[in-house]
Amino acid sequence: GGLLYFDPETGTITGCDSEVTEAAIPEEIGGGTVTTIGNQAFYGNSSLKTLTIPDTVTIIEDLAFIQCGITSLEIPESVVSIGDMAFFQCFFLEEISFPDSLSSIGYRAFFNCESLWKADRLDLGDGITRIGKEAFAECGPLPILVLPASLSDVGSNAFSGCTITNVIYAGTRADWLAMSIGSGNTALTSSTIWFLGEDGSLEDKKDLFNEDYSYPDGWFSICDEYAWQTLLLTNKERAKQNLLPLSAFPALQAAANIRAEELTEKYSHT
């Protein structure tokens, strides 16, 4: 039961009755095309668990889903921006699909969405250019974070209060170093970073770490458990020295040699 409210002049969903538990927003309502999820449209609706957004929507405004009860959401390929605090404290949100059309995520957009870790992987799509301040702060563990080469600006504390194990980055080391990353993002900068832009043989980053992924010929000959542990330990030591982590694909085979040279230099003077 319950109703959604729509302004046909602006194409905006403006509100929702508190008893609505699931909703499929149509492309048109009363002859007007739905283009925007409005400010506070679903504010505090803890009963809403399932929502379908049509591919006519281009903007999700500030506070649109703040403290909402949704558990999963697929954002359509038409959406280009997510406003400030749009999904703030959506505690039950476990999985969200970001489109390649998305270019901007606002301030505290997903702040304290503490169940996102259950998906094991957060892929921000291929078009994002800006992640706002505190956008994913206090989201807890994010085992795998996938970032596109298009990303140029990460706001301060965007990932504070998070634990990120692996970052899969579609660009190169040079691209990464050119990116503006604000303060308070240690969880991002100290994770293991995979620079896929330096290895043309791995074109589909979305398949990385999948059990059935077909790795390049010969890759497993060097990628046994010992090699993985060597790389992880090496990068922990390099992080302490403010050195950029080694990437697996161009550098895994040479990791042991590089670390050996570092240790030789370190202990040759003792």
Side-chain angles (χ1 to χ4, degrees), residues 170-233:
T172 64
R173 282 182 179 81
D175 295 331
W176 182 267
L177 292 172
M179 190 188 308
S180 174
I181 300 178
S183 61
N185 284 301
T186 304
L188 178 65
T189 57
S190 65
S191 64
T192 300
I193 304 170
W194 310 83
F195 299 97
L196 300 193
E198 297 181 359
D199 192 325
S201 63
L202 288 171
E203 296 178 353
D204 189 356
K205 67 181 185 299
K206 296 179 181 16
D207 287 336
L208 191 64
F209 296 112
N210 287 351
E211 292 181 1
D212 59 352
Y213 182 73
S214 177
Y215 291 90
D217 291 342
W219 199 74
F220 271 110
S221 66
I222 61 170
C223 187
D224 54 20
E225 183 63 25
Y226 178 79
W228 273 108
Q229 293 304 318
T230 298
L231 183 63
L232 293 176
L233 290 172

Side-chain angles (χ1 to χ4, degrees), residues 29-50:
I29 300 176
T33 301
V34 179
T35 60
T36 304
I37 307 297
N39 186 295
Q40 303 185 49
F42 296 91
Y43 187 179
N45 189 337
S46 58
S47 299
L48 183 66
K49 304 300 180 184
T50 304

Side-chain angles (χ1 to χ4, degrees), residues 148-178:
S150 58
L151 182 62
S152 60
D153 183 19
V154 179
S156 59
N157 298 299
F159 294 95
S160 66
C162 298
T163 303
I164 303 172
T165 307
N166 293 282
V167 172
I168 305 174
Y169 178 58
T172 64
R173 282 182 179 81
D175 295 331
W176 182 267
L177 292 172

Side-chain angles (χ1 to χ4, degrees), residues 57-260:
V57 170
T58 58
I59 297 172
I60 296 175
E61 291 189 341
D62 300 349
L63 308 169
F65 294 95
I66 184 172
Q67 297 174 340
C68 184
I70 54 175
T71 58
S72 65
L73 183 65
E74 181 175 350
I75 299 176
E77 283 292 340
S78 52
V79 172
V80 297
S81 68
I82 295 175
D84 296 346
M85 300 176 70
F87 294 88
F88 181 93
Q89 290 186 337
C90 286
F91 296 122
F92 306 104
L93 183 60
E94 298 180 5
E95 186 173 2
I96 187 164
S97 174
F98 292 96
D100 294 341
S101 59
L102 183 66
S103 64
S104 176
I105 296 175
Y107 166 72
R108 286 193 168 188
F110 294 90
F111 183 92
N112 205 195
C113 290
E114 58 185 24
S115 295
L116 280 177
W117 66 271
K118 294 182 180 180
D120 293 328
R121 178 191 198 95
L122 187 65
D123 188 334
L124 299 188
D126 289 337
I128 192 77
T129 61
R130 185 185 72 87
I131 299 174
K133 296 179 179 179
E134 301 181 32
F136 293 93
E138 305 302 329
C139 284
L142 299 172
I144 301 173
L145 176 65
V146 184
L147 300 175
S150 58
L151 182 62
S152 60
D153 183 19
V154 179
S156 59
N157 298 299
F159 294 95
S160 66
C162 298
T163 303
I164 303 172
T165 307
N166 293 282
V167 172
I168 305 174
Y169 178 58
T172 64
R173 282 182 179 81
D175 295 331
W176 182 267
L177 292 172
M179 190 188 308
S180 174
I181 300 178
S183 61
N185 284 301
T186 304
L188 178 65
T189 57
S190 65
S191 64
T192 300
I193 304 170
W194 310 83
F195 299 97
L196 300 193
E198 297 181 359
D199 192 325
S201 63
L202 288 171
E203 296 178 353
D204 189 356
K205 67 181 185 299
K206 296 179 181 16
D207 287 336
L208 191 64
F209 296 112
N210 287 351
E211 292 181 1
D212 59 352
Y213 182 73
S214 177
Y215 291 90
D217 291 342
W219 199 74
F220 271 110
S221 66
I222 61 170
C223 187
D224 54 20
E225 183 63 25
Y226 178 79
W228 273 108
Q229 293 304 318
T230 298
L231 183 63
L232 293 176
L233 290 172
T234 296
N235 281 338
K236 286 182 180 179
E237 291 300 315
R238 290 174 68 84
K240 293 177 183 178
Q241 303 172 50
N242 294 318
L243 296 174
L244 202 63
L246 296 174
S247 159
F249 306 109
L252 182 57
Q253 193 166 16
N257 291 335
I258 292 173
R259 185 57 181 153

